[in-house]
């Protein structure tokens, strides 16, 4: 017999069933969350062991020596002095504007510079802590904010001003085409602008195309002066003269158009770069422009010196004192008549000086003709501040304007070296080098330049090629074995700071990923 349920009992049973159902749903949710958490942890551990990540033993030497100490078995970072970082919210959308591959291993650090009186620039300054934290792997579609960053690194630097200097006592001169001037102008602006120094450009006819008109030169001159460059464009003294004749004529042109303050007249190429006008003036301050001085540098390659003689090579810059420039101006026509037609521009200066004065070359080895070739890392990683650089153009050239951008923050810190920890050396503006096989601990002599370059030798000479110019030097190291090199990829002004990006490319044909290390240089007190 069917027993009917009262409305009260029915209601209570329905409530009980509803409560039990909600409890079962809650339990299912909890179980799912636990399972998902366990699955995520498992995937995370698997991810760490994927090739190209922390557990990739192919890359273990690079990561071990650059970013802290890891166990050889599992690649797990041990507890120590390494910072785990702090929230920073750094925007990394700018990465989309540079040519890099993903996935990408990425790390960054802020550097706060503190100008300190009494500190001198050293060849190598030792810092006990590491430079970078463990890099993170970035995917192309991930969030544009970096989740954490290490605390800023404080660096004490020499108290050298970053403001432009007064170089009105200097006149510079180049002979070039309109096209090459257009290409060189941004680089020239890096060292010439706001200094009071004058630049005279003799515009020559290009190999192909017509000779620029006076109107075209006037337009270009006005354009450059709007960029706050004190530039004067002029035609050659004689129509149809050779480039070498035009180059020599720069001495006469600059002296003829000299200002009252002019004390030094500098002949140079359109790819000559002066990183520090302050250092250049300090060099000239040793000499009295009222006396006859011919200052420059011989080629770094002894073969060129043996062939062309003890002269100031033009690409490094030829510095004529006011007194010597006056003499050359007086004997210019005679020197031009006596000159061998095949003589180069800088050779013409040499022949005129040796033929009509008792002046001898004053060699300043920090001026660089850069006649050496191949990998020039040994020059740029030597810790020496060059007074001039040459031959930086071309497909395999060096972006000297970007390399030297950091000088706006830290003065004459260009190419200055800091050693971080036991294995990492920053050559400011050029590279970050990591020595994974204990080269630093084994006493690698950083007072000697690494001989990475190539040069021509001279038969029967005791000079092997560059001993007179690049000594002391040491043998080159094997890249990616004894030295892992991160080369400067780009540099830019960002909200008053200077960003530098250093790239190490993974080996082709392997699963090794590229690594990008980024530094933000800031002045003390700058946010």
């Amino acid at each position: 017999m069917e027993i009917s349920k009262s409305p009260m009992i029915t209601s209570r049973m329905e409530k009980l069933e509803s409560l039990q159902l909600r409890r079962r749903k809650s339990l299912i949710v909890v179980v799912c969350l636990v399972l998902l958490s366990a699955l995520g942890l498992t995937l995370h551990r698997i991810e760490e062991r994927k090739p190209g990540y922390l557990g990739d033993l192919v890359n273990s030497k690079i990561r071990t020596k650059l970013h802290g100490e890891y166990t050889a078995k599992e690649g797990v970072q041990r507890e120590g002095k390494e910072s785990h970082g702090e929230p920073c919210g750094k925007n990394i959308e700018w990465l989309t504007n540079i040519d890099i591959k993903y996935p990408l291993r990425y790390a960054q650090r802020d550097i706060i510079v503190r100008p300190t009186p009494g500190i001198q620039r050293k060849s190598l300054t030792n810092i006990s802590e590491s430079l970078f934290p463990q890099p993170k792997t970035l995917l192309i579609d991930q969030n544009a904010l970096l989740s954490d960053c290490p605390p800023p690194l404080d660096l004490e630097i020499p108290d050298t001003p970053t403001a432009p200097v007064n170089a009105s006592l200097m006149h510079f001169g180049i002979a070039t085409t309109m096209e090459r001037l257009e290409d060189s102008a941004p680089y020239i602006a890096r060292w010439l602008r706001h200094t009071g120094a004058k630049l005279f450009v003799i515009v020559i006819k290009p190999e192909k195309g017509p000779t620029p008109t006076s109107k075209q030169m006037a337009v270009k001159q006005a354009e450059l002066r709007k960029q706050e460059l004190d530039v004067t464009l002029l035609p050659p003294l004689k129509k149809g003269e050779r480039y070498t004749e035009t180059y020599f004529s720069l001495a006469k042109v600059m002296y003829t158009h000299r200002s009252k303050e002019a004390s030094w007249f500098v002949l140079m190429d359109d790819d000559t770069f002066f990183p520090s006008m302050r250092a250049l003036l300090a060099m000239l301050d040793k000499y009295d422009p009222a006396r006859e001085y011919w200052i420059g540098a011989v080629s770094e390659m002894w073969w060129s010196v043996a062939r062309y003689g003890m002269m100031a090579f033009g690409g490094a810059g030829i510095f004529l004192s006011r007194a010597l420039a006056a003499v050359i101006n007086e004997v210019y026509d005679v020197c031009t008549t006596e000159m061998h037609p095949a003589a180069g521009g800088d050779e013409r200066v040499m022949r005129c000086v040796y033929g009509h004065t008792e002046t001898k070359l004053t060699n300043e080895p920090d001026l660089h003709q850069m006649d050496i070739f191949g990998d020039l890392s040994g020059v740029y990683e030597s810790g020496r501040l060059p007074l001039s650089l040459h031959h930086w153009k071309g497909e395999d050239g060096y972006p000297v304007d970007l390399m030297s951008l950091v000088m706006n923050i830290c003065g004459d810190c260009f190419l200055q070296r800091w050693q971080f920890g036991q294995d990492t050396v920053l050559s400011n503006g050029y590279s970050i080098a990591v020595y994974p096989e204990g080269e630093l601990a084994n006493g690698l002599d950083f007072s000697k330049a690494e001989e990475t370059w190539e040069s021509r030798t001279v038969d029967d000479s005791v000079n092997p090629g560059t001993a007179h110019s690049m000594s002391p030097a040491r043998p080159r190291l094997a890249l990616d074995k004894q030295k892992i090199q991160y080369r400067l990829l780009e540099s830019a002004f960002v909200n008053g700071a200077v960003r530098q990006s250093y790239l190490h490319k993974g080996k082709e044909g392997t699963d090794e990923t590229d690594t990008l290390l980024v530094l933000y240089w800031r002045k003390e007190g700058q946010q």
Side-chain angles (χ1 to χ4, degrees), residues 12-135:
R12 287 177 179 175
M13 292 180 65
E14 288 175 349
K15 289 180 180 180
L16 180 60
E17 291 174 353
S18 177
L19 179 61
Q20 291 174 339
L21 180 61
R22 285 199 300 272
R23 287 177 176 174
R24 286 195 296 270
K25 288 182 178 179
S26 298
L27 180 61
I28 292 172
V29 170
V30 170
V31 171
C32 288
L33 288 174
V34 170
L35 290 173
L36 285 173
S37 177
L39 179 61
L41 181 60
T42 301
L43 289 174
H44 175 71
R45 288 174 176 169
I46 293 172
E47 184 82 336
E48 285 184 336
R49 291 171 172 80
K50 286 171 60 179
Y53 289 79
L54 186 59
D56 177 11
L57 296 183
V58 174
N59 260 341
S60 63
K61 288 183 180 178
I62 298 176
R63 287 191 293 277
T64 297
K65 295 301 180 181
L66 181 64
H67 312 295
E69 188 177 9
Y70 298 85
T71 62
K73 184 176 181 181
E74 295 189 14
V76 179
Q77 187 171 3
R78 296 175 183 167
E79 294 182 1
K81 297 180 180 180
E82 293 292 320
S83 169
H84 292 289
E86 59 187 19
C88 67
K90 292 289 186 184
N91 192 300
I92 53 176
E93 287 183 346
W94 61 272
L95 289 173
T96 60
N97 298 323
I98 60 178
D99 185 18
I100 51 177
K101 297 187 300 183
Y102 292 89
L104 175 75
R105 294 182 60 78
Y106 180 92
Q108 73 176 43
R109 187 88 183 263
D110 283 12
I111 292 181
I112 309 298
V113 298
R114 303 186 185 279
T116 306
I119 287 184
Q120 301 297 319
R121 172 174 170 146
K122 298 179 180 179
S123 174
L124 182 67
T125 301
N126 288 288
I127 306 295
S128 59
E129 66 177 289
S130 299
L131 180 56
F132 285 103
Q134 167 64 28

Side-chain angles (χ1 to χ4, degrees), residues 173-192:
I174 60 176
T176 190
T177 65
M178 290 280 277
E179 183 179 2
R180 286 183 64 89
L181 176 62
E182 178 77 19
D183 183 54
S184 298
Y187 303 91
I188 294 173
R190 272 293 299 161
W191 54 266
L192 184 70

Side-chain angles (χ1 to χ4, degrees), residues 136 169 192 201 213 394 450 527:
K136 298 180 179 297
L169 76 168
L192 184 70
V201 181
T213 64
E450 182 185 355
Q527 298 297 323

Side-chain angles (χ1 to χ4, degrees), residues 319-339:
F319 295 75
L320 308 175
S321 66
R322 180 175 63 246
L324 182 59
V327 173
I328 292 177
N329 184 63
E330 290 179 5
V331 299
Y332 177 79
D333 291 337
V334 176
C335 288
T336 301
T337 302
E338 296 173 343
M339 205 66 63

Side-chain angles (χ1 to χ4, degrees), residues 114-122 156-161 410-413 416 418:
R114 303 186 185 279
T116 306
I119 287 184
Q120 301 297 319
R121 172 174 170 146
K122 298 179 180 179
E156 291 185 340
I157 61 171
D159 190 12
T160 55
C410 53
D412 289 348
C413 62
Q416 187 172 351
W418 285 271

Side-chain angles (χ1 to χ4, degrees), residues 152-173:
L153 174 68
D154 289 347
L155 281 186
E156 291 185 340
I157 61 171
D159 190 12
T160 55
T162 57
V165 297
N166 181 1
S168 57
L169 76 168
M170 301 178 72
H171 288 359
F172 296 87

Side-chain angles (χ1 to χ4, degrees), residues 282-324:
M283 180 271 288
L284 291 175
D285 195 50
K286 298 183 296 184
Y287 308 105
D288 181 1
R291 299 179 59 186
E292 295 179 14
Y293 277 107
W294 173 37
I295 302 172
V298 298
S299 170
E300 293 87 355
M301 189 161 56
W302 188 245
W303 181 91
S304 297
V305 180
R307 180 177 178 84
Y308 298 106
M310 289 294 295
M311 69 176 189
F313 280 67
I318 301 173
F319 295 75
L320 308 175
S321 66
R322 180 175 63 246
L324 182 59

